[in-house]
Amino acid sequence: MDPLLQVENLYVRFRRNGVLTTPVRGVSFSLAPGEQLALVGESGCGKSMTCLALTALSPTDRAERTGRAWFGGRDLLSQDAEGLRAMRGRDGIAYIFQDPAGALNPVMRIGDQIGECLTGTPPARLAEAVRLLERVGLPDPERAVRAYPSALSGGMQQRTMVAMALACRPRLLIADEPTTALDVTTQQQVLALIATLARENGMAVLLVTHNLGLVAGQSERVAVMYAGQVVEMGPVARVLRSPRHPYTAGLLAAVPRLDAPWGSVLAGIPGTVPSPDRWPSGCAFEPRCEQRRAACAQPPPYQDIGDHRQVRCWLPPPAGDPVS
């Protein structure tokens, strides 16, 4: 099956006060209709910036975007503002933003905001808005459609954003931390709904998250990002069961376990993600890596290690693993 979205060697560059920053550096991935791909990593690794750059949403509308990004046979990076607007919404690309309070219009009622994505008479749009809010688990949807965003809690606002995105019936849904403000039960309900609609409508889903627990149950493939680059990519089950990059292993070690001994200390990765204007000249993870070696002073190759997996690291795969 041909990919719906094909991203190749994507760079995003900003120049501020004479200083060049590159928050996204050579990112490549593809996404087929009906497939879910998760972008995982700490804050500041370039996940959201990668997604925003696909359709030049702020702040990437002021950035230099290079590389290739094709959606449904159309070049995203060469579209003008009008062309990009036409590709955001119905039958195109829809977003669920991680800050619903900032994304919702504070002076429009919820039903009117969802209705902008729908067709038909005003009563029909209102009825469909109620149905969508009910599907995403919003309590008392009949009342919610007549409310302003300020009358809703953070979790209710987030569910409203999910409903608005689904109303567009998009071919590609970019969900940037779509369950941040939701309780565990509602998280699973929302993600299950997105997965169901993806299967029913052939909708591709690009899920941005730092929660590896969500990745394990929802996505087919995972791309782990660090310092603006993809450092490991592959099928979710294989990556989570046997990570090949030290950063991926560190993220997994930091996930709380229900079977951990009482009082055990949660593992963590020392240090922090470097600033985009201070990327290390070699391997970006080298200053935080407990397995660093002399070769890490040079940028590592992004190599295929077999089993449909790619890794950006100088460490060889364990003995017995196939290497392309």
Side-chain angles (χ1 to χ4, degrees), residues 88-96 110-120 124-133 135-136 159-173 193-194 197 201 203:
R88 296 196 292 259
R90 180 166 291 276
D91 297 323
I93 302 174
Y95 285 79
I96 300 174
I110 295 299
D112 293 333
Q113 296 193 54
I114 298 176
E116 289 186 327
C117 307
L118 302 171
T119 59
R125 293 200 300 268
L126 185 63
E128 178 65 9
V130 170
R131 189 188 70 83
L132 286 166
L133 291 176
R135 290 201 70 183
V136 298
R159 277 176 272 188
T160 298
M161 288 296 302
V162 175
M164 290 177 64
L166 298 179
C168 298
R169 299 187 180 275
R171 297 173 66 193
L172 170 63
L173 176 64
L193 172 61
I194 292 175
L197 293 175
N201 304 321
M203 179 179 69

Side-chain angles (χ1 to χ4, degrees), residues 162-245:
V162 175
M164 290 177 64
L166 298 179
C168 298
R169 299 187 180 275
R171 297 173 66 193
L172 170 63
L173 176 64
I174 299 177
D176 191 349
E177 302 282 2
T179 61
T180 299
L182 305 180
D183 61 77
V184 175
T185 301
T186 307
Q187 283 184 14
Q188 294 303 320
Q189 292 174 347
V190 169
L191 291 174
L193 172 61
I194 292 175
T196 298
L197 293 175
R199 290 192 300 269
E200 292 177 352
N201 304 321
M203 179 179 69
V205 179
L206 184 57
L207 173 66
V208 176
T209 183
H210 61 269
N211 188 336
L212 289 172
L214 296 181
V215 171
Q218 299 298 329
S219 299
E220 290 89 2
R221 291 188 298 131
V222 59
V224 181
M225 289 192 66
Y226 185 79
Q229 298 176 317
V230 174
V231 296
E232 182 166 3
M233 184 186 298
V236 167
R238 295 168 187 164
V239 171
L240 299 188
R241 182 176 60 247
S242 180
R244 292 294 183 262
H245 195 282

Side-chain angles (χ1 to χ4, degrees), residues 19 31-32 66 100 106 110 120 131 137 179 210-211 262 268 272-273 308 311 319:
V19 177
L31 196 53
T66 60
I110 295 299
R131 189 188 70 83
T179 61
H210 61 269
N211 188 336
W262 179 259
T272 59
V273 180
H308 305 288
V311 177

